[in-house]
């Protein structure tokens, strides 16, 4: 009996609820996780990112689950940005904004600080200055604006980066990608009409047909989701009225002048109708 007592589990180790049991189980899993395997799994998730929100959420949740390895997982993001084709780099760039949002909500700002530290390296990887990433300049610009709007990046830093990347934005048709992200008109065209025809000037950075079609489809999916989010109304009392109120501009002098003119026109129209009715009544009286 004494031996059993010495090897018994301490009372403070015994979970008092299912939630504590789950937390304890995750702690054991994290402590037993092989760092190399964690890196490999996260790398695979980054390589398979696409335009869907679920793929970004899955990768972000994985990185937050293994937050004790945040420096290693952050380095995975940088490595994949520098090693993969331009489509994967664009998908990872979009993922970064989603990832930082989840890190902020989950209370792990270390990922945000590391991204702030290495944002120049990220931009150079997604839109290199050798012309190969010209089609990704709009992607970089859009994500940077989102990060700035959410307070992850300072406006001065974004402005300085913008001065650099605008010089890297060349004619995307020369690079074999006629539908860069943000080109709404091109996203409604079938892939067969946006693939460069034979005889066009090509460069060493030209994407192959499969990559072009994949990029066009992902751009189309993102634009579709953006249009849906524009018209989405939160499920709250008077939410639609509040949104219309916020979108309505302030009342100014032009509005006051316009109302005065419309009121004058209304009075004139009423006078004309009144005169017409008066003459009509007089004419009827004459007939009698």
């Amino acid at each position: 009996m004494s031996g059993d007592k010495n090897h018994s589990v301490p009372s403070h180790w015994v979970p008092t609820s299912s939630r504590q049991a789950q937390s304890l189980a995750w702690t054991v899993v994290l402590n037993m996780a092989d760092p190399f395997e964690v890196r490999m799994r996260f790398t695979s998730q980054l390589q398979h990112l696409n335009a869907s929100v679920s793929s970004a959420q899955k990768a972000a949740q994985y990185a937050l689950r293994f937050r004790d390895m945040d420096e290693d997982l952050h380095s995975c993001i940088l490595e994949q940005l520098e090693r993969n084709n331009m489509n994967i780099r664009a998908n990872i760039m979009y993922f970064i904004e989603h990832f930082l949002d989840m890190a902020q909500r989950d209370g792990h700002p270390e990922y945000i600080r590391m991204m702030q530290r290495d944002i120049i390296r990220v931009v150079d990887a997604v839109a290199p200055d050798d012309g190969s990433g010209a089609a990704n300049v709009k992607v970089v610009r859009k994500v940077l604006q989102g990060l700035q709007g959410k307070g992850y990046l300072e406006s001065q830093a974004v402005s300085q980066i913008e001065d650099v990347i605008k010089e890297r934005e060349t004619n995307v048709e020369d690079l074999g990608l006629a539908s860069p992200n943000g080109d709404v008109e091109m996203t409604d065209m079938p892939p067969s009409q946006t693939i460069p025809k034979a005889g066009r000037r090509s460069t060493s950075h030209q994407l192959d047909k499969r990559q072009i079609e994949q990029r066009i489809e992902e751009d189309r999916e993102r634009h579709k989701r953006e249009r849906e989010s524009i018209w989405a109304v939160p499920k709250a009392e008077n939410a639609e009225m509040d949104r219309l109120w916020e979108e309505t501009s302030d009342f100014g002098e032009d509005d006051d002048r316009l109302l005065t003119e419309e009121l004058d026109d209304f009075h004139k129209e009423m006078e004309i109708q009144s005169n017409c009715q008066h003459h009509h009544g007089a004419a009827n009286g004459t007939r009698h």
Side-chain angles (χ1 to χ4, degrees), residues 13-261:
W13 282 14
V14 179
T16 58
S17 66
S18 59
R19 185 174 182 179
Q20 287 180 330
Q22 185 179 15
S23 177
L24 180 60
W26 271 119
T27 302
V28 174
V29 170
L30 294 178
N31 290 335
M32 295 176 60
D34 179 18
F36 178 76
E37 182 180 356
V38 172
R39 284 180 59 93
M40 292 299 295
R41 287 182 179 273
F42 186 57
T43 296
S44 177
Q45 291 176 345
L46 292 175
Q47 292 173 346
H48 290 86
L49 287 171
N50 51 48
S52 68
V53 176
S54 60
S55 67
Q57 287 180 337
K58 182 179 179 181
Q61 289 170 353
Y62 189 85
L64 290 170
R65 182 187 306 168
F66 294 96
R67 64 185 64 192
D68 292 341
M69 298 175 56
D70 51 10
E71 191 72 44
D72 286 337
L73 297 182
H74 175 76
S75 68
C76 285
I77 297 176
L78 300 179
E79 290 173 3
Q80 294 309 305
L81 283 173
E82 295 171 345
R83 294 180 180 180
N84 284 286
N85 64 50
M86 289 301 153
N87 284 355
I88 295 179
R89 299 185 193 193
N91 288 335
I92 295 177
M93 190 70 191
Y94 280 118
F95 159 76
I96 287 174
E97 182 176 358
H98 194 89
F99 178 37
L100 297 190
D101 286 341
M102 293 185 64
Q104 179 84 345
R105 291 195 299 266
D106 206 54
H108 193 69
E110 284 76 9
Y111 279 122
I112 299 176
R113 285 195 287 266
M114 286 186 287
M115 193 58 63
Q116 292 170 339
R117 180 193 67 198
D118 296 326
I119 191 62
I120 299 297
R121 183 176 173 184
V122 169
V123 171
D124 285 339
V126 180
D129 58 1
D130 60 0
S132 61
N136 282 347
V137 171
K138 289 185 178 181
V139 177
V140 171
R141 182 178 291 120
K142 184 175 182 179
V143 174
L144 289 180
Q145 290 173 351
L147 297 179
Q148 176 187 344
K150 296 174 181 178
Y152 301 141
L153 294 177
E154 295 182 357
S155 58
Q156 182 179 1
V158 174
S159 178
Q160 292 174 348
I161 296 175
E162 171 63 27
D163 291 338
V164 175
I165 63 175
K166 66 182 179 182
E167 300 176 358
R168 305 178 183 181
E169 194 170 19
T170 59
N171 189 346
V172 293
E173 289 190 1
D174 292 340
L175 302 176
L177 182 58
S179 176
N181 185 72
D183 191 348
V184 180
E185 291 78 13
M186 297 303 297
T187 56
D188 294 329
M189 297 176 62
S192 60
Q193 296 183 24
T194 54
I195 297 174
K197 303 295 187 298
R200 285 191 181 179
R201 182 160 57 94
S202 61
T203 70
S204 59
H205 305 299
Q206 189 170 9
L207 298 174
D208 60 38
K209 179 179 178 180
R210 183 187 61 81
Q211 291 174 341
I212 295 172
E213 290 182 344
Q214 179 184 0
R215 179 64 171 270
I216 293 171
E217 289 298 326
E218 290 178 349
D219 285 349
R220 183 181 290 115
E221 178 64 26
R222 288 192 176 96
H223 283 296
K224 178 182 177 182
R225 193 165 62 246
E226 288 175 1
R227 287 194 295 265
E228 291 174 349
S229 63
I230 290 174
W231 294 104
V233 178
K235 294 182 179 179
E237 186 177 359
N238 299 326
E240 186 170 3
M241 183 185 69
D242 293 339
R243 192 188 72 171
L244 292 174
W245 178 264
E246 291 295 331
E247 293 177 352
T248 303
S249 60
D250 295 335
F251 189 86
E253 295 181 358
D254 292 338
D255 298 301
D256 185 59
R257 178 178 54 80
L258 182 61
L259 286 176
T260 302
E261 293 176 355

